[in-house]
Amino acid sequence: MTDTPDNRITQALSDDDREFLDSLEAERGLFTQIGDTWKGPMGGWAKLLFAFSVVMGVMFLFVIWQLAHSTNNATLHTLWAIAGLALLILLGFAKEWIFNRMNMLTLLREVKRVQLEVVALQEELANRNSE
């Protein structure tokens, strides 16, 4: 029962490989994952969208303030409410893009982990065949 594929892969890994896999196993928090999106070829876009989200959040707070203080004029009140909804939709799209990017990077990380395990298993099989 102890001769599972996971155990065989673990036994076949060198110390460097184990250290690398242990670093992948460490839990990464939300802010670490957001920071990871700022790297790589799409890092500039991620930074731009993050800044856009912050600006839109501040604008949304301003719109809520204006909405609370425009109760005397129904037309103005309605326009501020529409502006608030539009900002919420824009924020939703921006956050969706950022979180999709975070999920993609997590999947890529797992694929790389599996690739490393496959290579380690191939090396173990090659060593067994050469003996």
Side-chain angles (χ1 to χ4, degrees), residues 3 8 10 16 29 48 61-63 69 75 77 89 104-105 118 122 124-125:
D3 196 30
R8 285 183 284 176
T10 302
D16 291 337
L48 179 68
L61 292 175
F62 175 74
V63 166
H69 288 85
T75 305
H77 190 76
I89 291 170
M104 182 202 62
L105 291 174
V118 167
Q122 285 176 341
E124 179 187 354
L125 288 174

Side-chain angles (χ1 to χ4, degrees), residues 2-54:
T2 61
D3 196 30
T4 64
D6 287 339
N7 288 342
R8 285 183 284 176
I9 289 171
T10 302
Q11 292 168 355
L13 294 175
S14 69
D15 291 335
D16 291 337
D17 293 336
R18 281 195 187 100
E19 185 180 323
F20 177 68
L21 282 178
D22 289 342
S23 73
L24 290 179
E25 291 296 324
E27 288 295 321
R28 294 169 38 239
L30 175 67
F31 296 113
T32 303
Q33 291 183 36
I34 289 173
D36 289 344
T37 64
W38 294 354
K39 300 171 189 161
M42 296 287 288
W45 285 107
K47 290 174 188 174
L48 179 68
L49 214 53
F50 184 79
F52 176 77
S53 296
V54 170

